[in-house]
Amino acid sequence: MSLWGGRFSEPSDQDLRALNDSIGFDIRFYREDIEGSIVYALALADAEVIRSEEARAIVAGLREVLQEFETGDFELQEADEDVHTAVERRLIELIGDVGGKLHTGRSRNDQVATDFRLWSMRAADRLASELRDLQAAIVETSESQVETLMPGYTHLQPAQPITVAHWLMSFFWMLERDQDRLGSARQRMSICPLGSGALAGNPFCLDRQQIAADLGFDAPSQNSLDAVSDRDFVSDLLYAIALCASHLSRLAEDILLYSNPSFGFITLYDRYSTGSSLMPQKRNADPMELMRGKAGRLVGNLAGFLTTLKGLPSGYNKDLQEDKESLFDSCDTMHQLLPVMTAIVASLQVNPEEMIASLTEELLATDLADYLVRKGVPFRQAHHIVGEVVRLASEGRTELSALPLPSLQAISPVFGADVAEVFDFAQSVAKRRTYGGTAPDEVRKQIALAKTRLTS
C-alpha cells in the first residue's frame, strides 16, 4: 500500500512513477532508515503515543526487515516508491496493522533528511579513513627521500632545488586540509531532523533530544521548517570531495610529468601502468589521467547541486530528490580513486640519478643573489646583477660556475673567490631551514608532525 493516495481517484501514471520514484537509488539508505525507525518507535512509546508492546513488535519487525536486507532476501514490490515505502510495507506484512502506527507524526520529509544525514556522516568517516591511508603512504615514501635532490618548479619552469620528500609532503598538507574540511562538514551534519514532521513539527511531545542522542547525533535541529529542507550538509560534503579531488588531480599531474621519459624522475609499478593496443613500447600512467578526469566530474556534481538549491522556496521540495545521486556518485568515485593513489604512492620508484641530472646551475641563481645580499648588496640590485650573470653564461653557453672570476667582477666587484661555494645543490637545500622549508632537517620535522596527525 502506498504511503499516500487516499485523496486521489486514480493511480499514478507509469511515466510519472518512473520519474517520481527514488527506490532505484535511495535503497542505499535501508540501514539508516530502519535505525531511525527503531528509535522513532521507542520515542512514540516513551511519549505514550503507542503501547510498549506495540513498540516492541515494531522494533522486532524492523530488525527482521533489516536481516532480510542484509542477507539479500528482501524483495522489492512494484508499489515500493522509495526505501521508506518498502520498509514500512514489509513491516506491515510481517506484524500486521500495528506497523502502520510507526509513521505517526512522522513525514518522509524529516525521515529522509535523517537517513541522509546518518549516511553522510558514515560516508565522511570512511573518506577520512581512506585519506589517512594515502597520507600514511606519503609519509612512508617521504621518509626514505628526505635528502634526495630534485628540481622544484614554478610555472612548470625549473626554479630552485628541493628534496623529493619536500615535494611529496606538500600533498600531505593539502590532504590534511581536506581532513579538516571533512571533519567540520561532519560536525555540521550531526544535527537530527527527526521529529520535525513535514515542516511544522511533531504534535506528540516526543523527546527530540533523546532521539538525537540515540541515533548518534550531537543535537536536534532548531527549526522544523529549516530541518526538512536543509541540504547544506550535502553541499559541504560535495565541496570537500571536489577540493580533495583537485588535490589528487594535482598530484596525478606531477606523477604524469615526472614519470614521462622526458623527465624520468619516477617510475610507476607495472601493476599501476597500462599499455597501448598498437605500440608495444608504451607505458602509460592511465590511472593518473583518470584522477584528473574524474576531478572534473566531482566538481560538476558540486556545481550541479548548488544550482538545484539556489531557487527553492521554503520547506521541502521534490527538487531535493536530486541530492542523493550526486553525492552517491562523488563518494563512490572517491572510494575508487583513493586506494589506487595510495598504492601508487606507496610503490613509487624514485630515480635519483635522473633528478640530479636535471639540476642545472641556473637553479642556483637565487643562491647567487643571496650571496651578494650577505655581502651588503640590496636584494633588488643583487637580483639585477645575477640576471646579467645568467645572461652572460647563457650567451657563452656555459655553466654559471665556469664563468671566470674577472668576468663576474666586471659585472660587480663584490664577487670574490668564495663565490665558488655557492654552486652546491645540497648546500642550497640545506640553507632553506626556516620552518616549513626544504632543508632535510626541516622536512624531518614536517614528517614527525605529520605522524602525530596520523595518530591523533
Side-chain angles (χ1 to χ4, degrees):
M1 183 177 69
S2 173
L3 297 185
W4 56 277
R7 180 255 184 271
F8 296 87
S9 59
E10 295 185 27
S12 298
D13 180 82
Q14 286 303 307
D15 287 339
L16 172 61
R17 286 290 305 273
L19 173 65
N20 183 69
D21 291 3
S22 57
I23 190 69
F25 48 86
D26 68 16
I27 195 69
R28 292 176 69 154
F29 290 156
Y30 74 85
R31 174 175 290 277
E32 289 77 17
D33 195 74
I34 292 170
E35 289 174 356
S37 292
I38 288 173
V39 168
Y40 191 74
L42 297 174
L44 288 173
D46 289 342
E48 300 182 348
V49 177
I50 61 175
R51 297 192 304 274
S52 295
E53 58 268 27
E54 292 175 323
R56 286 194 294 272
I58 290 171
V59 169
L62 287 168
R63 286 176 176 154
E64 189 172 346
V65 176
L66 178 60
Q67 180 68 16
E68 290 182 1
F69 271 109
E70 297 289 350
T71 59
D73 294 328
F74 188 92
E75 294 183 4
L76 289 173
Q77 303 294 327
E78 185 178 351
D80 292 338
E81 180 180 327
D82 50 36
V83 67
H84 323 298
T85 311
V87 169
E88 187 169 326
R89 184 264 306 164
R90 182 58 178 149
L91 176 66
I92 294 172
E93 288 175 355
L94 290 171
I95 68 171
D97 289 344
V98 69
K101 293 190 175 186
L102 173 61
H103 208 59
T104 305
R106 186 174 67 169
S107 165
R108 285 185 297 178
N109 295 356
D110 62 342
Q111 192 175 355
V112 70
T114 303
D115 293 357
F116 204 6
R117 281 178 181 269
L118 284 172
W119 188 93
S120 297
M121 288 160 64
R122 290 164 181 170
D125 290 342
R126 180 179 172 186
L127 288 170
S129 176
E130 290 172 342
L131 266 181
R132 276 287 179 247
D133 291 342
L134 174 53
Q135 290 179 287
I138 289 172
V139 168
E140 184 176 355
T141 303
S142 296
E143 280 192 291
S144 63
Q145 306 295 334
V146 171
E147 300 196 25
T148 306
L149 300 178
M150 67 175 289
Y153 296 86
T154 63
H155 308 277
L156 203 53
Q157 300 295 318
Q160 290 181 282
I162 59 173
T163 66
V164 172
H166 193 61
W167 163 64
L168 278 173
M169 286 301 296
S170 70
F171 291 97
F172 177 94
W173 299 111
M174 292 182 208
L175 299 179
E176 188 66 7
R177 294 194 295 275
D178 294 326
Q179 291 280 16
D180 289 343
R181 272 181 285 273
L182 279 173
S184 61
R186 193 198 186 285
Q187 186 176 20
R188 286 188 293 276
M189 288 172 203
S190 193
I191 301 297
C192 182
L194 196 56
S196 297
L199 75 162
N202 190 294
F204 294 105
C205 298
L206 305 185
D207 186 344
R208 294 193 63 224
Q209 297 281 355
Q210 189 62 52
I211 289 173
D214 289 346
L215 285 172
F217 289 102
D218 291 338
S221 53
Q222 299 295 321
N223 181 287
S224 60
L225 181 60
D226 173 55
V228 297
S229 61
D230 174 20
R231 295 298 186 274
D232 289 3
F233 68 96
V234 179
S235 302
D236 280 347
L237 193 47
L238 285 171
Y239 171 67
I241 288 171
L243 192 51
C244 180
S246 76
H247 293 150
L248 295 180
S249 181
R250 292 183 64 190
L251 176 55
E253 176 65 8
D254 276 5
I255 291 174
L256 281 162
L257 286 171
Y258 297 161
S259 64
N260 186 296
S262 299
F263 284 79
F265 293 174
I266 57 178
T267 303
L268 265 61
Y269 189 33
D270 280 354
R271 292 182 64 181
Y272 300 103
S273 302
T274 59
S276 164
S277 63
L278 176 66
M279 298 166 283
Q281 84 284 4
K282 289 298 292 299
R283 180 190 183 92
N284 298 328
D286 279 6
M288 299 297 94
E289 294 173 12
L290 288 169
M291 295 277 172
R292 288 188 314 196
K294 288 184 182 294
R297 171 175 170 169
L298 299 178
V299 171
N301 285 343
L302 169 63
F305 185 60
L306 289 175
T307 305
T308 297
L309 290 180
K310 73 173 186 63
L312 298 184
S314 296
Y316 180 83
N317 297 273
K318 196 70 170 183
D319 313 52
L320 294 178
Q321 190 162 292
E322 292 299 304
D323 57 1
K324 299 165 194 66
E325 289 177 285
S326 57
L327 187 57
F328 291 162
D329 179 70
S330 289
C331 290
D332 290 346
T333 301
M334 288 296 283
H335 295 325
Q336 289 181 320
L337 297 180
L338 286 168
V340 172
M341 183 62 91
T342 299
I344 285 174
V345 170
S347 62
L348 207 60
Q349 176 186 317
V350 175
N351 303 322
E353 300 82 4
E354 299 294 334
M355 292 179 171
I356 291 171
S358 294
L359 293 172
T360 63
E361 288 186 358
E362 282 195 356
L363 274 72
L364 299 174
T366 303
D367 295 80
L368 195 57
D370 293 340
Y371 164 87
L372 294 172
V373 166
R374 289 187 174 93
K375 290 182 175 288
V377 179
F379 177 77
R380 193 49 57 204
Q381 293 179 26
H383 187 286
H384 186 79
I385 290 168
V386 172
E388 290 187 50
V389 172
V390 170
R391 185 174 71 241
L392 179 64
S394 177
E395 290 171 350
R397 298 189 175 183
T398 186
E399 293 281 10
L400 295 177
S401 61
L403 290 172
L405 180 58
S407 298
L408 294 175
Q409 291 176 330
I411 296 173
S412 172
V414 177
F415 285 114
D418 58 347
V419 71
E421 298 173 7
V422 171
F423 303 108
D424 183 322
F425 295 107
Q427 182 186 76
S428 171
V429 166
K431 286 179 180 177
R432 267 67 187 180
R433 57 182 179 270
T434 50
Y435 186 83
T438 192
D441 287 346
E442 286 304 314
V443 175
R444 290 187 182 96
K445 292 177 185 177
Q446 278 190 60
I447 291 172
L449 177 59
K451 286 182 173 180
T452 66
R453 298 289 183 91
L454 290 173
T455 57
S456 61

mmCIF file of all heavy atoms in Angstrom, residues 368-386 411-415:
data_model
loop_
_atom_site.group_PDB
_atom_site.id
_atom_site.type_symbol
_atom_site.label_atom_id
_atom_site.label_comp_id
_atom_site.label_asym_id
_atom_site.label_seq_id
_atom_site.Cartn_x
_atom_site.Cartn_y
_atom_site.Cartn_z
ATOM 1 N N LEU A 368 72.914 32.723 -5.709
ATOM 2 C CA LEU A 368 73.943 33.698 -6.085
ATOM 3 C C LEU A 368 73.530 35.100 -5.657
ATOM 4 O O LEU A 368 74.365 35.878 -5.162
ATOM 5 C CB LEU A 368 74.169 33.629 -7.600
ATOM 6 C CG LEU A 368 75.428 34.297 -8.154
ATOM 7 C CD1 LEU A 368 76.687 33.740 -7.498
ATOM 8 C CD2 LEU A 368 75.493 34.129 -9.670
ATOM 9 N N ALA A 369 72.250 35.422 -5.809
ATOM 10 C CA ALA A 369 71.764 36.719 -5.338
ATOM 11 C C ALA A 369 71.875 36.811 -3.822
ATOM 12 O O ALA A 369 72.262 37.857 -3.259
ATOM 13 C CB ALA A 369 70.323 36.932 -5.788
ATOM 14 N N ASP A 370 71.560 35.712 -3.132
ATOM 15 C CA ASP A 370 71.675 35.700 -1.665
ATOM 16 C C ASP A 370 73.129 35.893 -1.226
ATOM 17 O O ASP A 370 73.407 36.535 -0.201
ATOM 18 C CB ASP A 370 71.151 34.365 -1.108
ATOM 19 C CG ASP A 370 69.645 34.194 -1.309
ATOM 20 O OD1 ASP A 370 68.958 35.205 -1.516
ATOM 21 O OD2 ASP A 370 69.170 33.038 -1.252
ATOM 22 N N TYR A 371 74.062 35.350 -2.001
ATOM 23 C CA TYR A 371 75.499 35.542 -1.727
ATOM 24 C C TYR A 371 75.826 37.046 -1.716
ATOM 25 O O TYR A 371 76.515 37.543 -0.819
ATOM 26 C CB TYR A 371 76.303 34.809 -2.790
ATOM 27 C CG TYR A 371 77.753 35.202 -2.893
ATOM 28 C CD1 TYR A 371 78.731 34.595 -2.111
ATOM 29 C CD2 TYR A 371 78.161 36.188 -3.806
ATOM 30 C CE1 TYR A 371 80.073 34.960 -2.226
ATOM 31 C CE2 TYR A 371 79.486 36.555 -3.925
ATOM 32 C CZ TYR A 371 80.443 35.940 -3.135
ATOM 33 O OH TYR A 371 81.768 36.309 -3.246
ATOM 34 N N LEU A 372 75.306 37.763 -2.722
ATOM 35 C CA LEU A 372 75.562 39.209 -2.785
ATOM 36 C C LEU A 372 74.883 39.935 -1.639
ATOM 37 O O LEU A 372 75.444 40.897 -1.071
ATOM 38 C CB LEU A 372 75.075 39.752 -4.130
ATOM 39 C CG LEU A 372 75.833 39.257 -5.376
ATOM 40 C CD1 LEU A 372 75.127 39.719 -6.647
ATOM 41 C CD2 LEU A 372 77.281 39.756 -5.356
ATOM 42 N N VAL A 373 73.676 39.495 -1.281
ATOM 43 C CA VAL A 373 72.950 40.133 -0.164
ATOM 44 C C VAL A 373 73.761 40.013 1.121
ATOM 45 O O VAL A 373 73.850 40.964 1.913
ATOM 46 C CB VAL A 373 71.556 39.485 -0.011
ATOM 47 C CG1 VAL A 373 70.922 39.863 1.325
ATOM 48 C CG2 VAL A 373 70.645 39.905 -1.161
ATOM 49 N N ARG A 374 74.349 38.839 1.334
ATOM 50 C CA ARG A 374 75.148 38.634 2.546
ATOM 51 C C ARG A 374 76.384 39.531 2.569
ATOM 52 O O ARG A 374 76.988 39.742 3.631
ATOM 53 C CB ARG A 374 75.554 37.166 2.660
ATOM 54 C CG ARG A 374 74.368 36.245 2.996
ATOM 55 C CD ARG A 374 74.832 34.814 3.280
ATOM 56 N NE ARG A 374 73.712 33.993 3.723
ATOM 57 C CZ ARG A 374 72.958 33.250 2.931
ATOM 58 N NH1 ARG A 374 73.216 33.237 1.617
ATOM 59 N NH2 ARG A 374 71.959 32.550 3.418
ATOM 60 N N LYS A 375 76.753 40.049 1.413
ATOM 61 C CA LYS A 375 77.889 40.973 1.343
ATOM 62 C C LYS A 375 77.434 42.434 1.343
ATOM 63 O O LYS A 375 78.224 43.336 1.049
ATOM 64 C CB LYS A 375 78.741 40.668 0.106
ATOM 65 C CG LYS A 375 79.494 39.334 0.224
ATOM 66 C CD LYS A 375 80.369 39.081 -0.994
ATOM 67 C CE LYS A 375 81.212 37.810 -0.798
ATOM 68 N NZ LYS A 375 82.296 38.002 0.179
ATOM 69 N N GLY A 376 76.165 42.647 1.611
ATOM 70 C CA GLY A 376 75.666 44.006 1.788
ATOM 71 C C GLY A 376 74.958 44.617 0.597
ATOM 72 O O GLY A 376 74.515 45.763 0.655
ATOM 73 N N VAL A 377 74.818 43.871 -0.498
ATOM 74 C CA VAL A 377 74.148 44.405 -1.688
ATOM 75 C C VAL A 377 72.631 44.312 -1.485
ATOM 76 O O VAL A 377 72.125 43.243 -1.120
ATOM 77 C CB VAL A 377 74.559 43.627 -2.955
ATOM 78 C CG1 VAL A 377 73.835 44.173 -4.182
ATOM 79 C CG2 VAL A 377 76.076 43.678 -3.142
ATOM 80 N N PRO A 378 71.877 45.390 -1.697
ATOM 81 C CA PRO A 378 70.412 45.303 -1.605
ATOM 82 C C PRO A 378 69.881 44.239 -2.557
ATOM 83 O O PRO A 378 70.374 44.103 -3.689
ATOM 84 C CB PRO A 378 69.944 46.706 -2.000
ATOM 85 C CG PRO A 378 71.094 47.589 -1.688
ATOM 86 C CD PRO A 378 72.314 46.768 -1.978
ATOM 87 N N PHE A 379 68.874 43.496 -2.125
ATOM 88 C CA PHE A 379 68.414 42.372 -2.937
ATOM 89 C C PHE A 379 67.984 42.798 -4.332
ATOM 90 O O PHE A 379 68.252 42.098 -5.306
ATOM 91 C CB PHE A 379 67.245 41.628 -2.255
ATOM 92 C CG PHE A 379 66.711 40.507 -3.117
ATOM 93 C CD1 PHE A 379 67.393 39.311 -3.225
ATOM 94 C CD2 PHE A 379 65.564 40.678 -3.879
ATOM 95 C CE1 PHE A 379 66.931 38.287 -4.053
ATOM 96 C CE2 PHE A 379 65.088 39.664 -4.712
ATOM 97 C CZ PHE A 379 65.777 38.459 -4.795
ATOM 98 N N ARG A 380 67.302 43.918 -4.462
ATOM 99 C CA ARG A 380 66.837 44.313 -5.777
ATOM 100 C C ARG A 380 68.013 44.520 -6.722
ATOM 101 O O ARG A 380 67.948 44.152 -7.900
ATOM 102 C CB ARG A 380 65.975 45.584 -5.657
ATOM 103 C CG ARG A 380 65.169 45.922 -6.894
ATOM 104 C CD ARG A 380 64.378 44.754 -7.449
ATOM 105 N NE ARG A 380 63.466 44.148 -6.500
ATOM 106 C CZ ARG A 380 63.035 42.903 -6.591
ATOM 107 N NH1 ARG A 380 63.466 42.119 -7.553
ATOM 108 N NH2 ARG A 380 62.185 42.426 -5.700
ATOM 109 N N GLN A 381 69.122 45.085 -6.217
ATOM 110 C CA GLN A 381 70.319 45.231 -7.053
ATOM 111 C C GLN A 381 70.957 43.867 -7.323
ATOM 112 O O GLN A 381 71.415 43.582 -8.432
ATOM 113 C CB GLN A 381 71.334 46.149 -6.360
ATOM 114 C CG GLN A 381 70.886 47.598 -6.243
ATOM 115 C CD GLN A 381 71.922 48.460 -5.537
ATOM 116 O OE1 GLN A 381 73.120 48.149 -5.551
ATOM 117 N NE2 GLN A 381 71.462 49.549 -4.915
ATOM 118 N N ALA A 382 70.985 43.032 -6.292
ATOM 119 C CA ALA A 382 71.569 41.699 -6.443
ATOM 120 C C ALA A 382 70.817 40.903 -7.502
ATOM 121 O O ALA A 382 71.423 40.190 -8.318
ATOM 122 C CB ALA A 382 71.544 40.969 -5.107
ATOM 123 N N HIS A 383 69.507 41.036 -7.503
ATOM 124 C CA HIS A 383 68.680 40.347 -8.492
ATOM 125 C C HIS A 383 69.081 40.772 -9.898
ATOM 126 O O HIS A 383 69.239 39.931 -10.797
ATOM 127 C CB HIS A 383 67.205 40.681 -8.212
ATOM 128 C CG HIS A 383 66.211 39.914 -9.043
ATOM 129 N ND1 HIS A 383 66.006 40.189 -10.378
ATOM 130 C CD2 HIS A 383 65.371 38.891 -8.735
ATOM 131 C CE1 HIS A 383 65.062 39.370 -10.857
ATOM 132 N NE2 HIS A 383 64.662 38.567 -9.864
ATOM 133 N N HIS A 384 69.253 42.061 -10.083
ATOM 134 C CA HIS A 384 69.619 42.579 -11.407
ATOM 135 C C HIS A 384 71.025 42.114 -11.800
ATOM 136 O O HIS A 384 71.270 41.717 -12.959
ATOM 137 C CB HIS A 384 69.560 44.107 -11.401
ATOM 138 C CG HIS A 384 69.782 44.715 -12.742
ATOM 139 N ND1 HIS A 384 68.811 44.777 -13.718
ATOM 140 C CD2 HIS A 384 70.904 45.277 -13.292
ATOM 141 C CE1 HIS A 384 69.302 45.360 -14.804
ATOM 142 N NE2 HIS A 384 70.571 45.676 -14.570
ATOM 143 N N ILE A 385 71.954 42.139 -10.847
ATOM 144 C CA ILE A 385 73.332 41.711 -11.140
ATOM 145 C C ILE A 385 73.361 40.244 -11.570
ATOM 146 O O ILE A 385 74.003 39.879 -12.568
ATOM 147 C CB ILE A 385 74.228 41.922 -9.893
ATOM 148 C CG1 ILE A 385 74.436 43.431 -9.645
ATOM 149 C CG2 ILE A 385 75.572 41.209 -10.042
ATOM 150 C CD1 ILE A 385 75.048 43.751 -8.288
ATOM 151 N N VAL A 386 72.656 39.413 -10.840
ATOM 152 C CA VAL A 386 72.659 37.979 -11.167
ATOM 153 C C VAL A 386 71.968 37.738 -12.503
ATOM 154 O O VAL A 386 72.359 36.835 -13.256
ATOM 155 C CB VAL A 386 72.005 37.164 -10.034
ATOM 156 C CG1 VAL A 386 71.830 35.695 -10.436
ATOM 157 C CG2 VAL A 386 72.843 37.272 -8.763
ATOM 158 N N ILE A 411 80.977 42.597 -13.777
ATOM 159 C CA ILE A 411 79.566 42.925 -13.560
ATOM 160 C C ILE A 411 79.377 43.547 -12.185
ATOM 161 O O ILE A 411 78.637 44.529 -12.017
ATOM 162 C CB ILE A 411 78.702 41.647 -13.706
ATOM 163 C CG1 ILE A 411 78.803 41.116 -15.139
ATOM 164 C CG2 ILE A 411 77.242 41.915 -13.338
ATOM 165 C CD1 ILE A 411 78.117 39.764 -15.349
ATOM 166 N N SER A 412 80.079 42.972 -11.160
ATOM 167 C CA SER A 412 80.022 43.543 -9.812
ATOM 168 C C SER A 412 81.317 43.217 -9.092
ATOM 169 O O SER A 412 81.690 42.037 -8.986
ATOM 170 C CB SER A 412 78.852 42.962 -9.018
ATOM 171 O OG SER A 412 78.923 43.382 -7.669
ATOM 172 N N PRO A 413 81.992 44.228 -8.560
ATOM 173 C CA PRO A 413 83.260 43.995 -7.852
ATOM 174 C C PRO A 413 83.053 43.269 -6.524
ATOM 175 O O PRO A 413 84.032 42.850 -5.895
ATOM 176 C CB PRO A 413 83.809 45.413 -7.626
ATOM 177 C CG PRO A 413 82.601 46.297 -7.652
ATOM 178 C CD PRO A 413 81.657 45.667 -8.628
ATOM 179 N N VAL A 414 81.819 43.080 -6.105
ATOM 180 C CA VAL A 414 81.543 42.408 -4.827
ATOM 181 C C VAL A 414 81.879 40.921 -4.897
ATOM 182 O O VAL A 414 82.180 40.286 -3.892
ATOM 183 C CB VAL A 414 80.062 42.617 -4.428
ATOM 184 C CG1 VAL A 414 79.729 41.876 -3.136
ATOM 185 C CG2 VAL A 414 79.768 44.106 -4.271
ATOM 186 N N PHE A 415 81.835 40.351 -6.111
ATOM 187 C CA PHE A 415 82.138 38.929 -6.249
ATOM 188 C C PHE A 415 83.571 38.664 -5.815
ATOM 189 O O PHE A 415 84.496 39.402 -6.180
ATOM 190 C CB PHE A 415 81.954 38.461 -7.693
ATOM 191 C CG PHE A 415 80.508 38.315 -8.110
ATOM 192 C CD1 PHE A 415 79.966 39.142 -9.091
ATOM 193 C CD2 PHE A 415 79.691 37.347 -7.519
ATOM 194 C CE1 PHE A 415 78.648 39.012 -9.478
ATOM 195 C CE2 PHE A 415 78.362 37.217 -7.907
ATOM 196 C CZ PHE A 415 77.828 38.042 -8.880
#
